[in-house]
Each structure stands twice: as C-alpha cells, then as structure tokens.
Amino acid sequence: MTSLLTASGAETAARITAEEVSATEVLDFWLERVAGDRLNGYLWQADRESARSGVADSDGPLAGVPIAIKDIFCTEGVPTTAASKILGGYVPPYTATSVDHLRTAGMPMLGKTNMDEFAMGSSNENSAFGACLNPWDTSRVPGGSSGGSAAVVAGGLAPWSLGTDTGGSIRQPAGFCGIVGLKPTYGAISRFGMIAFASSLDQCGPLTRDVTDAALLLSALQGRDEMDSTSVGIEGGIETPTAERLDGLTFGVPRDLMREGIEAGVLARFEDTLLRIADLGGEIVDIELPHAEHAISAYYVLAPAEASTNLSRYDGVRYGLRASDEDLLSMYEVTREEGFGPEVKRRIMLGTYALSSGYYDAYYGRAQRVRTRIVEDFDTAFDRVDFVVTPTSPTVAFKLGEKTADPWSMYLSDIFTVPISLAGLPAISIPAGLAEPEGGGPDLPVGFQIAAPAFAEQKLLEASYALEQAIGFDGTLALEGGVE
Amino acid sequence: MSTEYEAVIGLEIHVQLSTKTKMFCGCELSFGDDPNVHTCPVCLALPGVLPVPNRTAFEYALRIGAALDCELPAINTFDRKNYFYPDNPKAYQITQAVRPFAVNGKLGAVRIHHAHLEEDAAKTIHTGGAGRIQGSNASEVDFNRGGTPLVEIVTEPDLHSGAQVREWGQLLRATIKQLGVSDVNMEEGSLRCDANVSIRPVGSSELGTKTEMKNMNSFRFIERGIDAEIARQKALVESGQPVVQETLHFDPSTGELHSLRSKEEAHDYRYLPEPDLVPVVPTQAMLDEARNSLPELPAARAARYEEIGVSEQAALLLSFETEWAEYFEGVLAARKGIDPRVAANWVTGEFSAELRRQDDQPLAEAKVEPASLATLIGLVSEKKISHGAGKTVLEEMVASGADPETVVADKGLEQISDSGELEKIVIQAIEENPKPSEQVRSGNEKAIGALVGAVMKATQGRADGGEVNRLLRQHLGL
Amino acid sequence: MIEREQVLHVARLSRLRLSEEEIDTLTGELSSVLDHVDKLAEVDIEGVEPTSHVVPLENVLRDDEPRPSLDREVALSQAPDPHDGAFRVPSPQAEA
C-alpha cells in the first residue's frame, strides 16, 4: 500500500475519517514497516495490542494515525530507557502528559525511538543500544538527540514522531533527515513525564513530513498541565496553516554568526531559500545577535549543570540498575560508573564542576547572565523583524565516528539552534533542499531554521507553510531507506 | 586567673506543617502507617516527574512568619540543595536558600534570622540485617515522610544557656501550636530542634568554633545536652585545646555526648535555583490573611494577664495552652469582681491538679463549667467556706459535675462567719482551756495554737482561721 | 584548564567511580571544553540579572487536596532490593 507510505499524517487521518481505509489497516501497515527497521531507529516495537493500550476512541483530526515516541517519554507499562544502561528494563508506572494527549486524540504508539543517552548528543552515537542510521545514507548519522525520531519518519518507519529539543535535538536531526522538526516556545507543552536533561531548556515537539502535520500535532500537544508548574500552553490554540505568501514579513539574518564553519552546499541552499522568501514578498534584513557567539559556551555550562542534578536520582536505590551492594558508596559509584555512557559522564562532571563551591559565580552564575544578554539580543531583533532565519546546522549529516574524538566539534553542530533554546523561543526546521557534503558523495538534506518570538507559533507555521510550498522539497526520497 | 566564658547558642528548628498533602505532590501526610503506602512518582523521584508547590503550605508558612514578627519579602524562590543519601530520592532537596518567605523577625528576646520552606527527607531505618550480599549491613527506606512540608526557623545566636533554650523553645512551640499549622510534637517528629553551640570569652564579640547538636527529642534533653556541651567546650578551651567543628548527639540516659560525623568533610551542596519552580510572589491578600488570621499569641496573652494581676508563672502556663486560657477567661467572665490572680491560681493550681488526680481528665471533657468554678472561687473569697473546704468541694465537682453550693450544703461545710456565734465558741474555748489561755496572757503567744485548735474542733473546721485568731486575741486581751 | 586532583574531587561529588584511564581522558576533555567556556569571561555582564526561568510565570500553586498514591506493590515493582515493604540499600561503610 504505497499510498499509505507517502501520505502525510493529515492525509491518512482524512482517509480514515472518509472511511477509505480503516484505522486497523493503517496500524497494521505501519507495524509491518516497523518490524523491518534496519536503521536501529526503534528501541522497542509495539504489536497491535500494546500499540493501542490506553488509546482513546476518538473521531478527532488525528484519530487512528499511529506515531513513534522518543524513548525519553515515560509510557506506562512500556520500557523507557532514555537510551541508557542505567534504565535498562525500567518500566514506568505512569505516562507522560504529552503522550497522554496523543492517546486521547486516538493515536496508537508504534514504538519507542532511539536517541542519544539522556538526550545528550547531536548524532545519536551516544546511545547505549547502538547508533541509529540516517536513511539517506546509512554510513551517516541522523543527528541527535532525537535521531531515532527523525530517522523513522524520513525512512518510512512512522508517519510522524515525537521528540525533544534542549539545544537543537529536534531541529538538527530534522535538518539532517530532510523532514520538518518544530521546537515550540518553552512552556507550550507539558514536560511532565519527559525524562529531564536540562529543565530550563527541554521542550517536547513533533517531527513530521510537512508543516501541516507539525501544526496538527502541536495543536494536540500544547496546553497548561497542573503537573508541570512551568507549562503555559499557547493562548488561542493552533490552526492548520494556509498562508501562500510572505508579503509584509521581515526575516532577519544574523550574518555575524555565519562567518565561518558552514559547508558550501549548506550556505548555497540557505541563500537559495532567502531568494524564495523574497519571491514570496518577504523582506530580508541583516540583524545582529551580538552575544550569540557565546551561546554554545553558555549552553555547555547551563545544560550540563542542570543535567548533573537531574541525573543524580539514578542512584540504584529505587529503580534501574544497581551494580553493587557492597556498601552505600560503592552502590552509588559503581552503579553510575557502569550505567552512564562517556558523554553523560562528561556532562555530569562538567556540570558538577560548574556548580561546585568556588566555581559557581565564574561558571553557572556567569552563564545565566550571558543567557540574559542573549534573551535581550532576540528581544531587540524581534523589534525590527518578524522572524530570525539561519541554516539549521553548519553541515549536512556527517559520517558515523567523524566527530566523536573531540567533544567541542560535536557541540558546534548546534551553533544555530542553541541561541534560540537559551531564549526559550519557538523555531522550526524545514527542508531547504539537498547539497553535496564537503568530502564529496551523494546529496544530503539541508535544513532551514526559522525562529519567532515567544508564543508566535501560529505565525511561524504560516510562514513555514508558505515557504515549504514554494520550495517543493520531495519528502519521499528516503522513505524506502528504513526497511531492507 | 581563668577567663570567664559565655555560651553562644543559635537554633535551627524544623516544623512539619499539618497540611493534608505533601509539599510538592498530592500524597497524603501520615504518621505511623505501613511503609511506602503514601508515595507517588513525584515523591519517589521517578524519571520525568516535576514538583508543584502546595498553596496551603505557603499560607501556613506566612502565618508562622507573621507570628514571628518577620518581614515577608515580595519574592520567594526555590533552590536545589544537592547531596546523595538514600532518604533523599532526587539526590537534591528543594529548599529556599536565597529568597526565603520570612526574614528579620523576633520572638521574645531571640531574633529570628529567617524562616524558609523545604521538603522533609524520607525515613531510613538501619536494620543491620543482611542485604543482598552475604554479611553486608542494610538499611531500609520508607518514603511516606519524604516530601512533607517543613518550615525551618533559624535564630540568631542570641541564646546563652540550656535553660534559656528550653524556655524559649517552649514559647516557640506554644506559639506555633496556636496557629493551627503544626502538631509541633517533638516525640512524633513534627518539631525538631538542632542547636549550634560555641563559647567565647565574656566581652568578646567574635564567635568561637561551633558544634552542632542534633537528634534530641525533648526540650529538657536539649537543655541538659547543651549544658553538657558548654561544659565540655569550656574544659577543652581551658586546657588549651581547640574546639573541633563536629556534629554531636546527647544521650540523656548516660549524660554523654557522641560525635555523629565530622563536619570537616563539609558537604558541597552546589546550590542552584530550582528550574522547575517559578517564583512565588505573595499577594496582598495572602499577606493580609497571614497577619489577620493570627490569634492572640502566647507572649501577648501572658503580658495581658500579668497586667490584670495574674502571677507571672500562672500567666505563662495559661498562655501556652489556649484551652486553659479560654477556660480561665470563662471563669473571669462568669463572676463580676472576681480577682484574676486568685482565679488564675485556682485554675492552674487546684483545678488542674484535681483533673490530673482523677484519671488525668482532659480539660475538654471536664464536668466543671467555668461558671461553676467561678462560683466556688467566690465562696472561698467571700469566706463562706474555708480554702480547705473549697478543695473538698472541688473534688466532688470534678467527680460528678455537682453544683458547688449544693455540695457545701450537703456536706455542711459553711464556714461560721457569724461573729456572734463564733464569739460564743471562742469564749467557751478559753474557759475550757485555762492553761494555754493563761500562757498566752502571760506572753507566750505560741500557745494560742492550742486554743485555735480547740475552736476548730468545736466548729468542725468550719471557722475562718483569721477571724478565730482575731477573736481569741481580743478576748485574751492582746 | 582543570587539574587531575580537581577531576577526582568532582568525580567524588558526582558519585562516579572512574577508572584511571577515564580520569586521564576526562582531565584532557574537560580542560579542552573549559578552554572554550572560559571565553565567557570576555562578556560584559555588568549589572545583568541572571535568567533562571525563560517563562514569565509566578504563583503556580496546587490546592492542598489529596491525589491517589501508588499501590505499594507498584511503587516497589522496579526496586532492585525490595524488602518488607521498603527499599533496602546497603549501609554506609563503617568508619575506619
């Protein structure tokens, strides 16, 4: 049934409503695809029964279209590992609020997708359960940390998926895999049940074939949650975008941030997209984000610091791995030594150091103030422009193993996504086209990032939709790549 | 010549609030239930959970702040205090390290540095029994208590002796009890008091090295423990040794101090602002409610009683127990012109003792109405019955709720105050006891005792002693 | 730059029993990251308040009403060493 493979989530939902196809046929179709996963995109796969467990009978706009869920979301009765050995075999007794919203909307779960351990990474190579492969080229990474969520959508193993983004973890893999990835405003979607990495940065969001699907999912996910005191929801809700043009809208380009380190092909697609914006009536303006060059440094103090405390609960006492019973200290130290992978340990150490006595002011305290500066930079920019645009990532998908030797080179992959995360603003990555990688080889997707002011998701989706239609990227190209 | 040392003591008091649910989740508070029956993903610190603060805990906290005469700052924030221990499931405690809900207060003579909200740890029981590995010792953790709302009150080092700590501690406990925000029961753990103790030469303004004393569960033990620690520190310093910073426990049965753990390896708590909790900005309504909901507190009530003549001791006792204060005021209201001092002494003395003697009757169940007691007090004040007879009547009243005047009539306890009748008996006693009478006439006033005794016998104790004395002296020519 | 001694101290604070090899590697990696991060010192932050929350919320409080607790079996179901209804853990090592 190839039409189901290439149909978007919205299209499939419409067919179910029109009774052209049944929800069961749709579920069976996708479960069969999932079973053929050759990308290591799934850490856990559902069957018919488990896929439907807890799912409501709904006749809403999403009903019956199944979805893949990043293994960072707690799902009652279903293993949830955050791709870590320390949670190997852990089964939560409750379900994340965001996933609950999807179940209420009538969406079955296809499985739990692979990711960088505890969301720490930009390539999915930090998973304790093996790397995930990019369906465009299986010698390359799908990006991270929501690598599995992106790969399964791009590789025809799910019509859409749920991921999380802390410094770029939805947008960057979406860019690498030629799909749409949306990080909403911090506070738009509940974080309850989303295993915490960096509390003041983590947000849940959809990875989809197109902008319309992203809007549909966002509409179901957003909302204030009494279990999350930092959640607000999006006032007014979200509607399906329909804009065809960009007349009267200004798009700011932070050229300062783009002086070096960008692959030629990525830059070319970026400039192409700017021309398209102009064709559609949009105005391109140079802007400055004077402190954005320090965003990666600030982020790699703040995020590891918060992570170091969030991951202290993995101590062998109440759940998860316990690797020693010799005495209390050994239980803690050996469990955490054996349970955490190298990147997680690196960040815990960095974060603990940044918070430790004598270093707080110089590191955590200072990084929080630099964060304020970055928030101010965006406030100033959005006084002049409606959107800020950048390439999603400085490169296309890199090869497995290419950046694992030097942590900082991996961190630089997030140079365009991190500033927006620090400011808590919404941003989307849409496919801008294909480009040849620097070292040569088959063309790979290039992502285009659009950021908007806080809670301006509707405007963001409208503009993205119009641009997406104009670009006309063929999202079906890698769909066969997921299954042998 | 030896230096005079003074002790400098500061207290950290933890008060468990009597809300229905925990500080950051909806689990019910409990005491004494089976282990781990009041837990949820949040207070077990499962992956993915988030805290949401309890509104009532805040309201109770603000009341405490108001009662302690504190400033209630405009912005409250929370912080994470990081340390690993099995009773601390997140491996951080959510507390208020930077912007607590109350600062700069005082109670009595002691200044309050601040008071803050935090969550209680779980309970670890060291069983000593075997763990999974042969031969290893184990502990067991019960998370029922984990997450209970706590207010921690930190004083300035304004206390100087064990006795002062006991007295002030009792005042604090009575004050908080009357707010209705905590059971403040030290045996059950809803009130815990730690002391920081140091000494310094009298006249010095520097602080010496302090030790921390924990795990003492009554104010009397705290008093003894502090006194023991002060003595220990003085002995050290006088022999030229330094006081080492450490945590101590006082064993009341042996009078010994034991070191719990050395504070040298002080924790690095790596405080950071709690990202999962947004600031709390108490509204004017919340602040007004906190201040306006305060009942008359012990210190103020005791002062008011002393002003109307109640003794200091009785005033203190009454002010500590609202029930008793209300009873006392009921007695005053029931009888115009009753002497507050006398009434307070009857209430806190004879009445309370009689309740205790008769099976420890709680005041709430007593059969004696304030008006009834007031009547009895009036009978004694007006000398209609003697004080001793009054106690006899009281016994009957407590036992059966009988009306005092009825008991007096039934038992024939009226005092003979009719001077004419009494005078006849006095004259008769003098005639019937010539020897002591003669002794008194010749200057031996002590012999009057035998005559008083004779009159009392003749009247079956129903004569007013003062009046008897007066008449005897009159008729003996004194 | 971070010294090996500091790495050991931080590992203890983090409750990680690192191998000798890891300590060496981490000392190098952390030093390298900190070299980059130290550039934050160049930013002018005079008079700037820290950002702890990017969402402008206040007074998010919960009514003091009970919610159902977990069944004890469920609460203990993932415990590595449940015993007598409690979570059993090894005791701290006896003081030397």
Side-chain angles (χ1 to χ4, degrees):
Chain A
M1 283 173 103
T2 43
S3 61
L4 274 180
L5 180 63
T6 55
S8 71
E11 285 163 0
T12 305
R15 284 185 212 175
I16 293 173
T17 307
E19 292 181 11
E20 286 165 20
V21 72
S22 75
T24 306
E25 283 174 88
V26 171
L27 180 59
D28 285 346
F29 170 79
W30 284 108
L31 286 174
E32 202 185 311
R33 299 281 306 173
V34 167
D37 175 19
R38 71 174 186 124
L39 304 174
N40 199 24
Y42 284 99
L43 297 179
W44 178 86
Q45 298 176 2
D47 57 28
R48 244 207 217 173
E49 201 192 319
S50 52
R52 286 183 164 149
S53 174
V55 176
D57 246 328
S58 164
D59 52 12
L62 296 157
V65 187
I67 185 165
I69 306 285
K70 184 175 180 179
D71 204 23
I72 201 170
F73 293 95
C74 288
T75 42
E76 188 179 339
V78 168
T80 301
T81 67
S84 179
K85 226 175 114 184
I86 216 165
L87 284 178
Y90 173 70
V91 179
Y94 78 102
T95 297
T97 300
S98 47
V99 175
D100 229 19
H101 284 321
L102 300 179
R103 289 180 177 182
T104 305
M107 303 174 75
M109 178 169 68
L110 292 170
K112 307 297 287 300
T113 58
N114 203 350
M115 52 181 279
D116 280 300
E117 188 182 357
F118 284 108
M120 300 186 198
S122 308
S123 67
N124 215 128
E125 290 170 291
N126 295 325
S127 167
F129 306 110
C132 176
L133 312 178
N134 191 322
W136 290 80
D137 174 348
T138 54
S139 71
R140 293 178 183 265
V141 303
S145 63
S146 310
S149 289
V152 299
V153 173
L157 297 169
W160 43 22
S161 70
L162 200 61
T164 65
D165 190 311
T166 305
S169 293
I170 286 175
R171 295 161 283 162
Q172 185 253 34
F176 279 11
C177 291
I179 59 170
V180 171
L182 170 67
K183 182 197 88 68
T185 313
Y186 182 88
I189 302 178
S190 167
R191 289 184 297 122
F192 187 73
M194 218 167 90
I195 296 177
F197 156 24
S199 315
S200 74
L201 295 155
D202 294 341
Q203 264 297 280
C204 155
L207 292 98
T208 58
R209 300 277 185 76
D210 62 28
V211 174
T212 303
D213 277 2
L216 263 176
L217 283 175
L218 178 61
S219 175
L221 291 163
Q222 66 82 24
R224 204 195 154 249
D225 180 14
E226 61 174 7
M227 302 298 282
D228 174 2
S229 19
T230 60
S231 72
V232 193
I234 300 172
E235 207 183 308
I238 294 293
E239 282 163 16
T240 309
T242 54
E244 288 170 2
R245 304 230 356 126
L246 301 170
D247 301 290
L249 296 170
T250 45
F251 294 76
V253 180
R255 290 279 172 199
D256 272 354
L257 206 54
M258 294 171 50
R259 293 211 189 292
E260 53 181 29
I262 307 182
E263 282 182 350
V266 169
L267 199 51
R269 292 299 79 75
F270 178 72
E271 300 291 351
D272 289 345
T273 312
L274 294 184
L275 291 173
R276 268 193 224 284
I277 288 175
D279 283 344
L280 291 171
E283 190 194 334
I284 311 293
V285 169
D286 274 359
I287 59 157
E288 276 168 25
L289 295 171
H291 300 88
E293 65 172 306
H294 298 286
I296 294 277
S297 297
Y299 177 82
Y300 279 100
V301 169
L302 295 172
E306 292 182 10
S308 72
T309 79
N310 284 328
L311 269 61
S312 294
R313 68 190 59 194
Y314 304 107
D315 57 9
V317 175
R318 292 143 289 120
Y319 50 81
L321 180 72
R322 182 189 290 191
S324 166
D325 265 318
E326 208 179 302
D327 57 72
L328 192 62
L329 188 62
S330 296
M331 180 189 74
Y332 285 143
E333 293 190 337
V334 177
T335 297
R336 293 162 61 79
E337 161 65 13
E338 291 187 10
F340 289 137
E343 181 63 33
V344 170
K345 281 191 263 199
R346 207 173 286 134
R347 296 200 195 188
I348 288 176
M349 295 282 290
L350 191 51
T352 303
Y353 180 70
L355 292 172
S356 65
S357 176
Y359 294 97
Y360 180 94
D361 287 335
Y363 289 103
Y364 194 78
R366 177 166 274 275
Q368 281 200 312
R369 288 173 165 84
V370 173
R371 184 174 189 178
T372 304
R373 285 281 195 222
I374 291 170
V375 171
E376 289 168 355
D377 284 356
F378 277 103
D379 279 345
T380 305
F382 283 125
D383 274 343
R384 287 184 60 206
V385 299
D386 297 296
F387 305 101
V388 171
V389 293
T390 71
T392 301
S393 191
T395 70
V396 294
F398 43 85
K399 290 223 177 254
L400 289 156
E402 188 180 317
K403 294 193 192 280
T404 49
D406 173 20
W408 196 259
S409 73
M410 184 73 84
Y411 298 165
L412 284 175
S413 185
D414 293 331
I415 195 160
F416 299 123
T417 51
V418 157
I420 290 147
S421 303
L422 287 173
L425 301 172
I428 194 169
S429 176
I430 62 172
L434 299 172
E436 191 185 321
E438 209 136 68
D443 284 356
L444 292 165
V446 176
F448 184 81
Q449 176 179 241
I450 312 172
F455 300 108
E457 277 84 344
Q458 190 63 45
K459 282 199 179 141
L460 178 62
L461 289 162
E462 296 289 350
S464 313
Y465 176 77
L467 191 52
E468 169 195 69
Q469 299 305 300
I471 293 170
F473 181 79
D474 183 356
T476 64
L477 294 174
L479 283 178
E480 302 290 354
V483 176
E484 211 70 58
Chain B
M1 188 165 65
S2 64
T3 329
E4 274 280 308
Y5 287 96
E6 65 169 357
V8 176
I9 304 159
L11 300 178
E12 286 167 17
I13 299 116
H14 288 90
V15 177
Q16 269 185 359
L17 300 180
S18 54
T19 51
K20 291 187 222 162
T21 63
K22 296 187 178 184
M23 185 68 213
F24 295 114
C25 70
C27 287
E28 282 184 86
L29 296 191
S30 70
F31 178 72
D33 286 333
D34 281 344
N36 293 302
V37 294
H38 296 293
T39 70
C40 75
V42 178
C43 57
L44 284 175
L46 299 191
V49 297
L50 297 169
V52 184
N54 183 329
R55 182 193 315 279
T56 302
F58 244 100
E59 289 167 1
Y60 284 7
L62 290 173
R63 261 192 242 177
I64 291 176
L68 297 179
D69 212 17
C70 292
E71 287 163 39
L72 304 175
I75 302 179
N76 275 244
T77 55
F78 291 95
D79 303 283
R80 293 187 182 179
K81 176 180 180 180
N82 296 281
Y83 65 94
F84 284 86
Y85 204 66
D87 66 5
N88 189 13
K90 297 186 292 295
Y92 58 85
Q93 179 199 37
I94 301 179
T95 180
Q96 293 186 298
V98 178
R99 290 186 202 88
F101 71 86
V103 295
N104 296 341
K106 71 180 187 315
L107 180 70
V110 177
R111 293 168 299 162
I112 306 292
H113 180 266
H114 79 272
H116 70 258
L117 271 165
E118 61 183 26
E119 51 177 347
D120 208 351
K123 259 207 174 93
T124 317
I125 315 148
H126 295 284
T127 60
R132 290 195 305 187
I133 290 186
Q134 195 79 355
S136 75
N137 277 336
S139 306
E140 286 174 8
V141 192
D142 168 16
F143 289 94
N144 285 346
R145 191 184 76 178
T148 302
L150 288 182
V151 162
E152 181 175 335
I153 300 166
V154 179
T155 75
E156 297 285 8
D158 287 347
L159 296 132
H160 301 288
S161 73
Q164 193 187 7
V165 169
R166 175 182 45 79
E167 281 166 15
W168 188 83
Q170 287 168 339
L171 173 62
L172 178 72
R173 178 172 58 193
T175 304
I176 294 179
K177 181 147 191 190
Q178 290 180 21
L179 298 177
V181 301
S182 169
D183 293 337
V184 279
N185 182 323
M186 284 184 97
E187 275 155 25
E188 290 182 349
S190 48
L191 178 69
R192 312 199 283 259
C193 182
D194 298 336
N196 291 315
V197 182
S198 65
I199 61 172
R200 66 181 174 196
V202 172
S204 162
S205 57
E206 277 175 34
L207 291 171
T209 307
K210 63 181 186 214
T211 59
E212 193 187 354
M213 302 191 64
K214 292 175 97 73
N215 297 349
M216 298 171 288
N217 63 7
S218 86
F219 281 117
R220 294 197 188 276
F221 293 160
I222 289 175
E223 178 179 5
R224 288 175 52 205
I226 287 175
D227 286 341
E229 174 58 9
I230 292 169
R232 186 189 75 90
Q233 288 195 16
K234 280 185 178 166
L236 273 179
V237 169
E238 274 162 7
S239 72
Q241 293 171 71
V243 172
V244 166
Q245 195 178 35
E246 55 185 328
T247 305
L248 298 166
H249 167 62
F250 173 72
D251 184 345
S253 56
T254 62
E256 281 170 15
L257 292 155
H258 304 290
S259 187
L260 281 180
R261 61 176 181 269
S262 174
K263 259 201 158 180
E264 278 174 281
E265 221 213 84
H267 286 284
D268 179 356
Y269 291 118
R270 304 186 297 288
Y271 289 100
L272 72 152
E274 172 55 79
D276 291 330
L277 292 174
V278 296
V280 174
V281 177
T283 59
Q284 195 54 49
M286 284 166 86
L287 296 172
D288 288 343
E289 165 66 23
R291 296 202 163 98
N292 296 341
S293 70
L294 295 183
E296 184 184 32
L297 294 173
R301 182 167 249 159
R304 179 163 68 84
Y305 288 170
E306 279 186 63
E307 245 169 77
I308 57 170
V310 175
S311 76
E312 191 185 324
Q313 193 192 25
L316 203 65
L317 285 170
L318 287 170
S319 70
F320 274 18
E321 304 281 348
T322 312
E323 254 193 330
W324 285 89
E326 281 168 2
Y327 193 94
F328 165 65
E329 293 194 20
V331 169
L332 291 185
R335 195 174 179 92
K336 236 170 80 157
I338 195 170
D339 181 346
R341 188 181 190 87
V342 170
N345 288 343
W346 270 92
V347 170
T348 61
E350 285 88 345
F351 180 45
S352 108
E354 192 58 39
L355 284 180
R356 257 198 316 278
R357 196 160 35 235
Q358 292 196 28
D359 290 326
D360 267 322
Q361 275 181 56
L363 179 63
E365 288 164 28
K367 301 182 182 106
V368 183
E369 293 295 319
S372 234
L373 187 62
T375 304
L376 176 66
I377 295 170
L379 290 173
V380 174
S381 305
E382 288 157 24
K383 299 197 194 292
K384 297 226 171 76
I385 59 174
S386 70
H387 192 98
K391 284 163 76 166
T392 308
V393 175
L394 183 62
E395 191 181 331
E396 182 61 43
M397 286 165 73
V398 170
S400 65
D403 163 64
E405 281 162 336
T406 311
V407 176
V408 166
D410 287 349
K411 292 192 193 253
L413 294 170
E414 300 91 351
Q415 229 169 205
I416 301 173
S417 49
D418 174 353
S419 288
E421 197 189 331
L422 192 56
E423 200 167 10
K424 287 197 196 123
I425 297 172
V426 164
I427 291 169
Q428 190 174 0
I430 293 174
E431 279 174 13
E432 289 174 1
N433 295 276
K435 209 149 158 237
S437 304
E438 193 47 49
Q439 283 173 322
V440 174
R441 284 200 190 94
S442 10
N444 184 358
E445 289 196 30
K446 276 207 275 192
I448 207 170
L451 293 164
V452 172
V455 173
M456 284 308 188
K457 195 162 163 208
T459 62
Q460 291 160 306
R462 284 160 47 227
D464 172 39
E467 188 60 12
V468 166
N469 243 290
R470 188 187 69 77
L471 287 166
L472 278 172
R473 294 173 70 89
Q474 183 191 335
H475 285 273
L476 289 170
L478 291 175
Chain C
M1 186 57 201
I2 187 171
E3 301 295 332
R4 200 169 190 279
E5 280 309 302
Q6 288 173 301
V7 173
L8 288 170
H9 174 67
V10 173
R12 174 53 67 96
L13 286 177
S14 312
R15 297 295 187 271
L16 291 168
R17 192 165 287 183
L18 301 174
S19 67
E20 284 304 305
E21 204 188 308
E22 276 176 309
I23 296 170
D24 288 335
T25 311
L26 273 165
T27 305
E29 286 173 345
L30 292 176
S31 291
S32 155
V33 170
L34 288 169
D35 279 345
H36 291 284
V37 162
D38 282 343
K39 297 210 182 88
L40 286 176
E42 292 165 14
V43 183
D44 173 20
I45 52 165
E46 181 77 37
V48 179
E49 289 298 304
T51 293
S52 294
H53 300 96
V54 280
V55 62
L57 285 172
E58 283 173 359
N59 293 348
V60 181
L61 299 166
R62 169 181 61 85
D63 288 339
D64 187 25
E65 289 305 322
R67 294 177 68 105
S69 290
L70 287 174
D71 271 345
R72 181 160 71 187
E73 273 152 49
V74 175
L76 288 168
S77 64
Q78 306 289 306
D81 189 11
H83 182 76
D84 282 348
F87 295 83
R88 192 159 56 178
V89 294
S91 285
Q93 211 171 33
E95 305 270 325

